[in-house]
Amino acid sequence: METAWIVVLALLTCGYFALAGFDYGVGLLLRVLARDERERRHVLGAVTPFLLGNEVWLVAAVGVLFGAFPRLEGELLSGHHTAFAVLLVGLVAFTAAAQLRSPAWDVVLVGSALVVAVGWGVLLGRVLGGPVVLWAAGVPLLFALHGAVFLAWRLRDGPRRRAVRVAAGLVPPVAGFAVAAVPLAGPVPAPGYGLVAGVAVPLLGGAWLALRSGRHRVAFGCTALVSALPVVAVFGARDVVGVAAMAGPGTLRPLGWAALVVLPLVLLFQWTTWWVRRVPR
């Protein structure tokens, strides 16, 4: 039972990083890829239909964390209250700025996307034991790459060409981050390190080749997987899994029934959103 709930929590968190990561990446690149107000509307119009659906993964993951793993939740929050508070403010501000879109909100949108990306980097660095500065710089680069690839897939003409150039230019520094960060994250077992590093670099190479050949869907799939890899590292950490004591049966039983209802709805909502907003081949 414990393993099953850990897998559910890991999958939900991976889904959040793989999908919401491009939301923040688009926010970071808004002023880089869009030259005027019309292009900025196109850029934000490409991402806003997915915004709330992508955040649902985080809400579901937090629900499982608080309900099934109260001790793990306490360990993760212990000593990181300020970082979590800043991250929460960034998440709320980013969502509000994206929904209340106007030129006056651009600064809030870009700034809050940076706060969220840096905040996740700081938390990952602290949990994994790596250099916090490296993670605080690397995660925004990773999200920016993911966002640029998403826009290369979803946009046309000038913004697409700029997105492809930016994405191709971000691949080398993100690959450098993956190589530098993984071996330095002390608590993760060595095999877990090799898996993450050994997967990230080939995926980034695949994304670069797919961009050059115009296969933007493939490139997006590659960067989505890379965005989820830090979560794999977290759940491979001995100190994190070691404190994952389960809640009592009185909590797990209703939580299990709720999960049987909520998780299919999350997946259905995601599938519907992507189907309705699909891009013709």
Side-chain angles (χ1 to χ4, degrees):
M1 180 63 70
E2 180 175 328
T3 300
W5 279 108
I6 289 175
V7 170
V8 169
L9 180 59
L11 289 176
L12 289 171
T13 313
C14 283
Y16 168 71
F17 272 77
L19 294 174
F22 72 74
D23 294 340
Y24 312 128
V26 170
L28 290 170
L29 297 173
L30 177 64
R31 286 285 182 168
V32 176
L33 299 179
R35 300 290 175 80
D36 54 35
E37 182 59 24
R38 181 183 64 83
E39 289 188 349
R40 283 191 284 275
R41 284 199 302 269
H42 285 313
V43 167
L44 288 177
V47 73
T48 47
F50 305 98
L51 186 70
L52 294 179
N54 293 342
E55 300 294 336
V56 168
W57 292 87
L58 178 61
V59 174
V62 170
V64 171
L65 177 64
F66 277 59
F69 302 104
R71 182 183 168 194
L72 177 58
E73 171 261 326
E75 291 287 335
L76 289 176
L77 290 178
S78 177
H80 306 312
H81 296 97
T82 301
F84 273 108
V86 172
L87 181 58
L88 181 60
V89 171
L91 288 167
V92 173
F94 179 80
T95 303
Q99 298 298 326
L100 301 173
R101 168 74 189 110
S102 71
W105 284 89
D106 283 355
V107 173
V108 177
L109 183 74
V110 176
S112 57
L114 181 62
V115 167
V116 172
V118 172
W120 281 121
V122 169
L123 288 172
L124 287 168
R126 288 181 177 178
V127 171
L128 292 170
V132 172
V133 173
L134 179 63
W135 282 90
V139 172
L141 287 174
L142 173 58
F143 285 172
L145 169 61
H146 196 24
V149 171
F150 172 79
L151 292 176
W153 172 26
R154 308 291 296 193
L155 296 180
R156 296 288 183 270
D157 304 324
R160 165 179 276 184
R161 291 190 292 271
R162 289 193 288 273
V164 170
R165 287 197 298 269
V166 168
L170 285 171
V171 167
V174 172
F177 160 64
V179 172
V182 173
L184 293 172
V188 183
Y193 281 142
L195 173 64
V196 174
V199 170
V201 174
L203 283 173
L204 290 168
W208 186 80
L209 291 173
L211 284 169
R212 287 180 59 88
S213 62
R215 301 172 66 188
H216 303 118
R217 294 172 189 259
V218 175
F220 178 78
C222 290
T223 56
L225 290 173
V226 175
S227 297
L229 284 177
V231 178
V232 177
V234 167
F235 281 88
R238 292 192 186 98
D239 61 335
V240 172
V241 176
V243 297
M246 297 290 295
T251 300
L252 291 179
R253 191 174 295 109
L255 185 64
W257 285 110
L260 288 176
V261 175
V262 172
L263 293 181
L265 289 176
V266 170
L267 295 174
L268 178 62
F269 181 77
Q270 285 288 323
W271 179 85
T272 303
T273 303
W274 283 90
W275 175 257
V276 170
R277 297 287 177 172
R278 65 191 183 277
V279 177
R281 292 182 178 272

